């Protein structure tokens, strides 16, 4: 069976685990070179007065990751599951410096072109589920950890692309005469991380595995369950013009950068221990969300002529971390004299933005 709550069974010592590792790298690029350094010529595009030009780079990713393990042991048992998912993406839509775009010629008159759209978008949804359950008659440990990390660079631009080494505006002679000009960069999606761990230490008739026939109920036992859920997003979302050339829009000029990525992290741990004399139950859950978002819309160096120019940078999205820990310890009535039970539980969640 692909799913078994107690897949690992042992009379004395049982150890089971599962590990899932996923790494995604995407490079999605739509680009018009503006100036050919070999031929020393401009890239020229004539859309006609009723046509248009769209430069579009689009990424759409969905992944579901599932790591689960379970065990049932007559004495000691450990079950652990771990899932690590990472995504690194570069999504670029660019009209480079030096491009000449218009509607063509009527005699010797240069006609204005149609619309120009420069669009870059990345939508990424990751669901990461981990689970571990361990049952034992003396010591049971169930632990699980899940991590999802996304690093995205999404840019839509006209002119020279900004880099760590070069932030200068392009100067290759960009000349654009169009109707509406739209430059739009968007990051979106959601990370959902769910981790569940359980430990049961008890003598359950019909379910518990015994070390040998006729074993009495355990006198001392401990159940330990722990969960860690981590989600990290490092997003760069930029829409911009970085050029010293001329851009004329008979209609509107809109430069928009939007990031609406959301995160949901749930971590739950439960431990139960019941023996005849001494029982200990410990459960802990930790959830951590880390977001580093840069969302920018700007114009540098260009000569702009438009009916209406709008620059918008917008960051939205919900962020939620839930952590729950429950521990129960008990001794049976027959072992009440001199018996002891201890239960400790804790949960902690952090959102770092």
């Amino acid at each position: 069976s692909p799913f078994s709550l107690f897949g690992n069974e042992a009379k004395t010592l049982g150890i089971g685990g599962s590990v899932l590792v996923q790494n995604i790298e995407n490079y999605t690029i739509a680009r018009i070179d503006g100036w050919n350094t070999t031929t020393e010529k401009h890239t020229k595009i004539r859309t006609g007065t009723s046509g248009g030009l769209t430069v579009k780079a689009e990424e759409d990713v969905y992944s579901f990751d599932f790591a689960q393990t379970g065990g049932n042991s007559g004495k000691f048992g450990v079950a652990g599951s771990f899932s690590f998912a990472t995504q690194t993406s570069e999504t670029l839509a660019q009209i480079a410096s030096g491009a000449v775009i218009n509607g063509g010629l009527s005699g010797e008159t240069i006609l204005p072109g149609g619309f120009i759209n420069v669009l870059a978008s990345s939508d990424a949804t990751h669901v990461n589920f981990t689970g571990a359950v361990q049952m034992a008659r003396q010591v049971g440990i169930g632990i699980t950890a899940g991590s999802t990390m996304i690093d995205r660079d999404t840019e839509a631009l006209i002119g020279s692309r900004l880099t760590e080494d070069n932030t200068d505006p392009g100067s290759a002679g960009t000349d654009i005469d169009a109707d509406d000009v739209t430059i739009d960069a968007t990051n979106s999606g959601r990370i959902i991380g769910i981790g569940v761990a359980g430990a049961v230490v008890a003598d359950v008739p019909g379910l518990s595995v015994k070390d040998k026939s006729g074993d009495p109920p355990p006198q001392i036992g401990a159940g330990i369950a722990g969960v860690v859920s981590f989600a990290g997003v490092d997003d760069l979302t930029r829409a911009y013009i970085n050029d010293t050339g001329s851009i004329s829009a008979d209609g509107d000029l809109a430069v928009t950068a939007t990031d609406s990525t959301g995160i949901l992290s749930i971590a739950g741990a439960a431990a139960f221990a019941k023996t005849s004399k001494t029982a200990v139950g410990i459960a802990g859950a930790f959830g951590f969300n880390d977001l580093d978002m840069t969302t920018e819309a700007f114009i540098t160096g260009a000569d702009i002529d438009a009916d209406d120019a709008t620059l918008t940078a917008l960051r939205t999205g919900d962020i939620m971390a839930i952590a729950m820990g429950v521990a129960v310890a008990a001794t049976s009535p027959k072992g009440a004299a001199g018996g002891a039970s201890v239960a400790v539980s804790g949960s902690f969640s952090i959102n770092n933005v």
Side-chain angles (χ1 to χ4, degrees):
S1 172
F3 177 86
S4 176
L5 191 62
F6 299 115
N8 170 42
E9 293 190 355
K11 288 185 177 182
T12 303
L13 173 63
I15 300 176
S18 62
V19 178
L20 186 154
V21 178
Q22 175 182 262
N23 182 41
I24 299 174
E25 289 189 20
N26 285 335
Y27 300 91
T28 310
I29 298 173
R31 186 174 186 271
I32 296 176
D33 284 332
W35 175 256
N36 189 312
T37 56
T38 302
T39 63
E40 296 187 349
K41 291 184 178 180
H42 295 278
T43 298
K44 297 181 180 181
I45 299 175
R46 298 179 175 86
T47 65
T49 56
S50 59
L53 171 65
T54 297
V55 181
K56 182 178 182 180
E58 181 177 10
E59 177 189 48
D60 190 354
V61 174
Y62 175 84
S63 75
F64 178 80
D65 304 312
F66 180 72
Q68 177 269 340
T69 189
N72 191 354
S73 175
K75 286 189 176 180
F76 306 97
V78 179
S81 65
F82 308 92
S83 177
F84 305 97
T86 61
Q87 176 186 338
T88 303
S89 295
E90 178 185 354
T91 308
L92 174 68
Q94 180 184 11
I95 298 176
S97 183
V100 176
I101 304 172
N102 52 54
L105 298 174
S106 176
E108 296 184 356
T109 302
I110 298 176
L111 301 175
F115 66 85
I116 293 178
N117 294 330
V118 184
L119 312 173
S121 66
S122 172
D123 183 84
T125 298
H126 293 270
V127 181
N128 196 346
F129 184 90
T130 60
V133 178
Q134 179 65 50
M135 188 172 183
R137 298 180 72 243
Q138 290 188 358
V139 177
I141 301 173
I143 54 175
T144 187
S147 172
T148 306
M149 300 180 65
I150 295 179
D151 186 348
R152 294 184 293 183
D153 181 351
T154 303
E155 300 183 47
L157 68 136
I158 295 177
S160 178
R161 186 181 183 185
L162 295 179
T163 65
E164 293 183 358
D165 300 327
N166 184 20
T167 61
D168 295 337
S171 57
T174 302
D175 189 358
I176 296 175
D177 191 353
D179 189 21
D180 292 333
V181 177
T182 301
I183 303 171
D184 189 288
T186 302
N187 275 323
S188 60
R190 181 179 296 274
I191 294 177
I192 300 174
I194 302 173
V196 178
V200 177
V201 173
D203 192 1
V204 182
L207 186 58
S208 295
V209 175
K210 295 187 177 182
D211 185 26
K212 57 184 178 180
S213 178
D215 263 359
Q219 291 186 332
I220 301 174
I224 302 171
V227 179
V228 175
S229 179
F230 174 78
V233 178
D234 187 349
D235 271 357
L236 173 62
T237 314
R238 277 181 178 159
Y240 58 102
I241 298 172
N242 187 40
D243 201 273
T244 60
S246 173
I247 299 176
S248 178
D250 286 352
D252 299 334
L253 172 68
V255 182
T256 306
T258 306
D259 194 330
S260 61
T261 306
I263 292 181
L264 172 61
S265 175
I266 300 175
F272 175 78
K274 183 179 180 181
T275 62
S276 62
K277 189 173 182 180
T278 303
V280 178
I282 301 173
F286 177 64
F288 182 60
N289 296 329
D290 183 47
L291 291 89
D292 185 357
M293 310 291 217
T294 302
T295 309
E296 299 177 332
F298 58 89
I299 297 173
T300 301
D303 182 2
I304 304 293
D305 184 4
D307 289 345
D308 186 34
T310 303
L311 280 77
T312 304
L314 178 64
R315 164 65 186 142
T316 63
D318 55 287
I319 304 167
M320 183 179 298
I322 300 172
M324 301 170 288
V326 178
V328 177
T331 56
S332 62
K334 292 181 180 180
S341 59
V342 178
V344 179
S345 65
S347 60
F348 193 45
S349 63
I350 298 175
N351 287 322
N352 182 38
V353 181

